[in-house]
Structures are given as structure tokens and as C-alpha cells.
Amino acid sequence: MVDPLDRQILRHQRKGLLRFIVCGSVDDGKSTLIGRLLCDAKMILEDELAAVAEGCARNTSGEREIDFSKLVDGLAAEREQGITIDVAYRFFTTGERKYIVVDAPGHEQYTRNMITGASKAELAVILIDARKGVLRQTRRHAYLCRLVGIRHFVLAVNKMDLIGYDEARFRLIVEEFGAFAERVGIVDVRAIPVSGLRGDNLFGARSANMGWYDGPSLMDHLESVEVDATSDQAKPFRMSVQWVNRANADFRGFAGLISSGVVRRGDSVRVLPSGKMSKVERIVLATSDLDCAVAGQSVTLTLTDEVDCGRGDVIAIADDPPEVADQFEATIVWMSESALLPGRAYWLKLGAQAVTAKAQGLKYQVNVDTLEHVAAKTLQLNAIGLATLSTDRPLVFEPYAKDRSLGGFIVIDKQSNATVGAGMLNFALRRSQNIHWQATALQRDDRAQLMNQKPAVLWFTGLSGAGKSTIANLVELKLRRMNRHTFLLDGDNVRHGLNKDLGFTDADRVENIRRVGEVARLMTDAGLIVIAAFISPFQAERDMVRRLMAPGEFHEIFVDTPLAAAETRDVKGLYKKARAGQLKNFTGVDSPYEAPNDPELRIDTTKLSPEEAADLVIQLLIP
């Protein structure tokens, strides 16, 4: 006979789980609604509720009004300002289901937090203040939730008590949101009039204040909405390797979370991106072995063959593996105050894979109000755009619409290590598969040997007027006298030809240096000593050029001249124009300059003559 307590525990374990997010504009009442749900679900302890009630004001009848938002606003700053700042996760359960509810911030500046919460949700409750109607944030949140793959939506029109439970107002809001939802492809929407503060249509029977409403309460709908919890198990098997487990000299297992499918002992699997084949020997869970494991389980697999497999690789079923590519079309949501700059190298993390990625170009930016596709060269904070991405090595992936785990990624700034964007891979671009390196009979070492010199790049960076070109010219003359083969790339000269289509925005400056870097690399392949004189204001692009060269070939030379001194040498009159507002995006005036972090050589032009500076550069190159 089963113990009643064991029966209850077993029943609880068998309940389905629904993850849903509540999002809306500031002061729409998200925290109040969630707090009320938790309270009605008996998930709040009596002493906790009493403590909150004690701190609240009395209403006109002398009773204390409970501020339910204080039950979920955990940060002191949230309680002080009455807003949600960070994503909060709360767990509760009913007789039918277990729930994880995500309380997402409403401020536009916290959009990144909202996306984080939405990325794992199966249903979105879009909350609207009945007095304000559909706002820009409403459309933004609905669009983003649809973008990250949420298919089920609830339109909760809140604060109905403040508009006298007006049916006409409710219908108007539903109609307006419905038109927008249809345009972005949201199909499953349930509109419910509610009052988070009064509890109307939240839990149990429909509110007597809205006799005209004949639908379910919010909880009744959440209890009944159909979410296919086993859909991931029906997909082909995939597991990203998080860690290679060497428990002892005789054991080598690959640990990770199974993101989709089922794996059994003896299954033929493929390790990607290498494509090596093997079979599953053991499925280890803690101290025991399993015959099979399913999506959602974290296990360690051992294989029958000694294949090369490490962190970031993906183990997949052999006859239906995911794709491998290095160029993609991707949708990007930008989350940083610093704009996305096409051509700049960022870290891209997809599961346990980390690669260097560049946005090669932006196809368009989405206007979330009108859903228009707007031409854009960069993405600013909270902007959403479509871009072509390239990575420095192949990435194992699935289109996001097919698999969130292998299709969703984050973008990390290489300088600050801050997460600056998130995105979804749409599909691979096949161009790279039709382009291959052509082997040449002569190698770069052969060409350098013919010239009797070692190729190098002398990269001069500094403000306009710092003296880069003057010193670079002297360096080339001195090297010529030493029978060295050189070529001087000057910032002004390349803009007359190779880069004449580029302007001086941050994005154009990045592309300018990228092209020059590629040219410099080709010239070092030819055996030349390349002398490059460019303002090159950003450290990221100077590092990018360094990575193009062989180790030891790139020499960063910082021509360190203070802005005031550079302005006094304004031979071209550029500073004067910039100060007068006639020249935009001028480095040092209204565009930033990032001084080198650790240059090979720093030249203080306030203390050295150009001749002395050129001699120092020669000593750097030929000690």
C-alpha cells in the first residue's frame, strides 16, 4: 500500500511544467499581478503576507491595502522606486501544473533582461494598462517574444477596475493588439480582462464585475494551455560537450546536457564539426549507467572509439546531424550602449562553442512600431536587425526556428568581455562552401627569401596631426638606403581609391582598417615590409590586423601627441573645421580615440624629432 505522502510526492513529480513570462510597460502592474497569483496559489507564508500588509497604507475603510508587488520585488532599489530592474523567477504549483514565472523589467533600457527571461519561456503574458492601451513597449515585447520562439500568448488587459470594467475599452485594445499580432505571426492569443490588485479574473471563477466576459480566468487558461513538453525528445539527438570527464586513467567520458532527442547504448553517433563517427558505449548518470537518456538530462557518454572530442563539440545522431558552416544570415538584438560595428570582431557563444564572429553587413533594421525594414549601417541599443555573420571557424548549428539550443547565441565584446547582443541563426550561407584556397607554387617564405628580408608591418597610430606620415616617410627612406623592400600605406592615399566609398562614421572606420589590414597581409605574403600610417582609432581593429599577421610580424607604434599639440600642427585645417562644426566624426573632437594598450613602441613627439623617432622605429625592426 502506497503511503499518502509518497502518493502526493509522486503526483507532484508527474505534474507538467509551464514556464511563462509576464512583460509589459513600466507601471502596467506586472509585479502586482504575479504577487497576487502567488498569494492566491497559497505560495506566500502567512507571516510574510502579514509583514507586507503591515507596511502598507490603510484604505478609506480603515483596512490595510496589500501591495502585492512587494512580494516579488526583491531588490531594495526595486522596492524603493516601485519598478522591476532585473529578471525575477518565481516558482509555484497548483493541483494541475508546476509553474516558473518570469517577472521581466518594463523599462526599454532593460530589454536585455527581458530577452534573457523570454528565451526559455513557452508562454508570454503581455500585460497592458487598460488606461494607456497598446504602447511601443507592448509591441516591442510581443515582437521579441515571438522572435525568441514563444508560440502561446495571453493579452492581459490590467487595471480594469480603474476604468469601471469598461467592455468597449477592452474590445478596442484587443482589436489593436490583434492587428499587430497578426502582422508579426502571433497566432495563439487569449485576451483576458483582469485586475491584479483586486484579483478579478486571475484565479478561480470569473469576476462578477465583468459579466460580459465569458472566457477563462488567467489561471484557468494557464492550467489548460497545451504545451508539448516532450517535443524536444522527438527531435534528432544532440548534446553539446561541456566537459571531458577523465575520472581515472581508464575512463574518458563526454559530459553535457542533451538538448534534443533520445540516445541509447549502441547508437551510432557523429562528433561535429570534425564529423568523426563512433558508437555510444556507456551512458553514465552519477554512479550508475542508463540504457537510454532523453532531452533535458545531463549525462556523460563514453564512446567505443578514441575519437577527438572536446568542449564545444557536438555529439549527434549519425544519420541526421546538424549543419556546420561559417557564414550565416542572423537576426541580432543589440544590447549595448556602444553600437554594433560591422567588420569588428566579437566573441560569439553558442552553447559551449565560442568563435570569433563579424557582422559583414546589415541588411536592415526593424522598426518595431511599423515593422518596416529600415536601412542601417549599425545597430544601436535595443535595435533589432538582420545581418550576415561570418565566423573564423566552422560552427555546429541548427536554424533557431528548429532548435533554440543550437540556433541561439550571444555576442561578447572582446575588449570589455561584456555581453553586447543576442541573436538567432536563420540559415547558413553557402557561398563559403564554393570558395577554396588555391595552392600556389611559391610560398611566402620563398618570396621573403628572394628579397633577403623578413616581412613585417609597422603600424603607426595616433591622432590626426600627430606626425605619423612624417615619421613613416622617413622610416621608408632609411629602409630604402638599407636595401629593404617596402611599401607605404597612408590613410589619406587609400581613401582616394581602395576606400573612396567609405565615410568617417565608426562603422566606416572599422571597414577602412579591415580592408587596409587585408592589403597589408597580402603585401607581407609578397615579402614586403609594410609601413601603415592610419589614425586607426579603435584598439579592436588594430588587434584585428595583428591577428591577420604571423606572430612577431606586427609592430604597433603609438605616435603619442597630445590633442592640444596636434591641433597646433593643423596644417590641413581639419581641427579648425571640426571645431567649427563643419567636419563631423573627427577623431579627438567628436569621435573617440583609444590609445594602444601595449604598443611595441611609443613615440613622444613633444620630446623627439621626426629623425630621432624614425631611428627608434628602425632599431625596433632591425635590432
Side-chain angles (χ1 to χ4, degrees):
M1 184 174 180
V2 180
D3 183 270
L5 180 59
D6 291 340
R7 189 185 301 119
Q8 188 174 348
I9 293 174
L10 189 61
R11 183 167 177 268
H12 179 74
Q13 290 175 338
R14 288 176 176 172
K15 288 179 187 174
L17 173 66
L18 176 67
R19 297 182 183 88
F20 69 97
I21 183 171
V22 179
C23 46
S25 302
V26 179
D27 292 334
D28 278 354
K30 298 178 294 298
S31 298
T32 300
L33 181 137
I34 295 172
R36 183 80 193 212
L37 282 180
L38 295 174
C39 190
D40 289 350
K42 310 299 181 191
M43 299 302 293
I44 304 296
L45 299 176
E46 289 187 5
D47 57 346
E48 185 181 359
L49 190 61
V52 171
E54 186 60 30
C56 297
R58 295 181 184 277
N59 60 24
T60 53
S61 62
E63 297 178 349
R64 289 190 181 275
E65 291 269 8
I66 298 177
D67 184 351
F68 292 98
S69 68
K70 295 189 182 302
L71 295 170
V72 292
D73 286 340
L75 300 175
E78 292 179 335
R79 291 193 294 270
E80 179 183 307
Q81 301 178 56
I83 62 170
T84 302
I85 294 175
D86 204 353
V87 176
Y89 298 87
R90 297 301 294 256
F91 172 85
F92 70 99
T93 183
T94 64
E96 302 298 324
R97 261 182 175 160
K98 294 179 283 190
Y99 297 91
I100 294 177
V101 55
V102 183
D103 184 10
H107 282 77
E108 186 171 339
Q109 72 182 93
Y110 299 129
T111 298
R112 73 191 80 179
N113 307 44
M114 177 261 159
I115 294 174
T116 303
S119 62
K120 295 294 183 183
E122 296 149 323
L123 181 146
V125 176
I126 305 294
L127 204 63
I128 290 179
D129 186 329
R131 299 167 302 172
K132 301 175 185 174
V134 178
L135 303 176
R136 188 167 192 266
Q137 274 297 75
T138 309
R139 291 187 284 270
R140 174 183 292 275
H141 287 158
Y143 181 78
L144 288 172
C145 286
R146 177 71 183 86
L147 200 62
V148 299
I150 295 177
R151 295 188 296 115
H152 306 285
F153 286 76
V154 172
L155 177 67
V157 182
N158 194 24
K159 303 187 181 181
M160 290 295 294
D161 53 312
L162 298 182
I163 62 167
Y165 302 103
D166 184 357
E167 179 184 4
R169 177 66 178 160
F170 171 74
R171 301 292 178 200
L172 191 65
I173 292 171
V174 172
E175 184 179 352
E176 184 179 356
F177 182 82
F180 178 80
E182 185 177 353
R183 293 176 63 194
V184 298
I186 296 173
V187 177
D188 181 14
V189 185
R190 165 64 72 177
I192 304 175
V194 301
S195 169
L197 182 64
R198 306 295 175 194
D200 294 296
N201 287 337
L202 290 186
F203 225 103
R206 288 195 293 270
S207 169
N209 294 316
M210 290 175 274
W212 45 266
Y213 175 69
D214 59 0
S217 67
L218 178 58
M219 274 312 303
D220 283 347
H221 180 69
L222 296 179
E223 298 275 44
S224 61
V225 66
E226 292 187 7
V227 178
D228 188 359
T230 62
S231 61
D232 284 343
Q233 296 179 19
K235 297 176 182 175
F237 167 67
R238 278 99 174 84
M239 187 187 87
S240 294
V241 177
Q242 299 281 344
W243 176 50
V244 179
N245 184 353
R246 295 301 303 263
N248 56 58
D250 300 322
F251 184 89
R252 180 167 171 259
F254 308 103
L257 172 69
I258 300 175
S259 59
S260 66
V262 179
V263 63
R264 297 176 178 80
R265 283 194 297 178
D267 279 353
S268 294
V269 293
R270 193 185 297 268
V271 178
L272 297 167
S274 68
K276 297 291 184 183
M277 299 277 290
S278 187
K279 288 188 176 182
V280 176
E281 182 179 50
R282 294 175 59 192
I283 304 171
V284 183
L285 179 65
T287 57
S288 60
D289 279 20
L290 303 175
D291 290 328
C292 74
V294 301
Q297 285 185 291
S298 293
V299 297
T300 297
L301 302 182
T302 65
L303 305 180
T304 55
D305 304 281
E306 290 295 328
V307 296
D308 182 11
C309 180
R311 176 178 165 79
D313 288 341
V314 175
I315 301 176
I317 197 71
D319 58 1
D320 191 6
E323 297 180 67
V324 178
D326 60 4
Q327 289 195 38
F328 311 88
E329 184 196 271
T331 303
I332 298 176
V333 182
W334 199 246
M335 303 174 174
S336 172
E337 300 280 355
S338 301
L340 165 70
L341 298 179
R344 173 168 288 184
Y346 298 92
W347 290 118
L348 184 153
K349 284 201 70 177
L350 192 163
Q353 302 176 81
V355 297
T356 294
K358 296 177 184 174
Q360 299 291 34
L362 285 170
K363 294 185 176 180
Y364 59 78
Q365 179 178 329
V366 178
N367 181 326
V368 295
D369 289 320
T370 63
L371 299 181
E372 285 181 305
H373 295 174
V374 183
K377 283 193 169 184
T378 64
L379 290 181
Q380 304 292 337
L381 177 65
N382 293 327
I384 303 162
L386 198 73
T388 298
L389 284 184
S390 66
T391 58
D392 65 338
R393 58 182 185 274
L395 200 62
V396 184
F397 86 104
E398 294 268 36
Y400 186 82
K402 186 176 178 183
D403 187 332
R404 286 190 188 187
S405 298
L406 283 178
F409 62 87
I410 61 172
V411 184
I412 299 171
D413 186 286
K414 285 196 165 189
Q415 302 297 318
S416 64
N417 282 327
T419 299
V420 292
M424 285 67 68
L425 298 176
N426 299 330
F427 51 79
L429 298 171
R430 304 296 180 188
R431 290 195 295 268
S432 61
Q433 297 185 2
N434 299 316
I435 300 174
H436 306 280
W437 284 103
Q438 180 66 40
T440 56
L442 276 181
Q443 302 299 310
R444 69 194 317 269
D445 290 344
D446 300 323
R447 300 186 190 99
Q449 196 173 20
L450 284 173
M451 294 185 180
N452 193 29
Q453 65 181 25
K454 182 181 177 184
V457 173
L458 299 171
W459 190 275
F460 291 79
T461 175
L463 294 169
S464 177
K468 301 181 297 298
S469 296
T470 302
I471 300 170
N473 267 303
L474 287 172
V475 169
E476 187 172 36
L477 285 173
K478 288 176 183 287
L479 288 173
R480 178 70 185 87
R481 294 186 197 116
M482 299 167 73
N483 292 322
R484 296 301 199 276
H485 301 272
T486 62
F487 193 87
L488 173 58
L489 288 168
D490 185 85
D492 283 349
N493 293 349
V494 296
R495 284 186 177 273
H496 288 292
L498 175 68
N499 293 346
K500 66 180 179 182
D501 58 321
L502 300 177
F504 291 89
T505 63
D506 289 351
D508 283 345
R509 288 175 187 274
V510 171
E511 176 61 12
N512 181 42
I513 299 305
R514 188 194 69 80
R515 292 183 192 179
V516 171
E518 292 290 347
V519 170
R521 185 177 64 83
L522 289 172
M523 288 185 169
T524 56
D525 283 350
L528 294 172
I529 296 171
V530 181
I531 304 165
F534 291 83
I535 294 174
S536 47
F538 303 122
Q539 184 68 51
E541 280 58 63
R542 298 192 296 265
D543 289 345
M544 174 190 68
V545 179
R546 183 188 292 272
R547 287 191 293 272
L548 290 174
M549 308 304 164
E553 280 190 357
F554 183 86
H555 306 279
E556 188 177 30
I557 301 164
F558 178 28
V559 183
D560 188 2
T561 303
L563 179 61
E567 286 202 60
T568 62
R569 305 171 186 170
D570 193 14
V571 293
K572 301 174 184 174
L574 299 179
Y575 281 105
K576 187 177 179 181
K577 286 184 179 179
R579 294 295 183 191
Q582 299 170 2
L583 195 59
K584 299 294 183 186
N585 302 318
F586 195 78
T587 303
V589 177
D590 58 351
S591 187
Y593 176 78
E594 298 171 1
N597 296 329
D598 188 20
E600 274 76 9
L601 181 64
R602 175 180 170 272
I603 295 173
D604 184 346
T605 61
T606 63
K607 297 178 180 175
L608 294 175
S609 69
E611 280 285 341
E612 292 170 326
D615 288 340
L616 281 180
V617 177
I618 298 296
Q619 289 174 26
L620 171 71
L621 186 66
I622 309 171

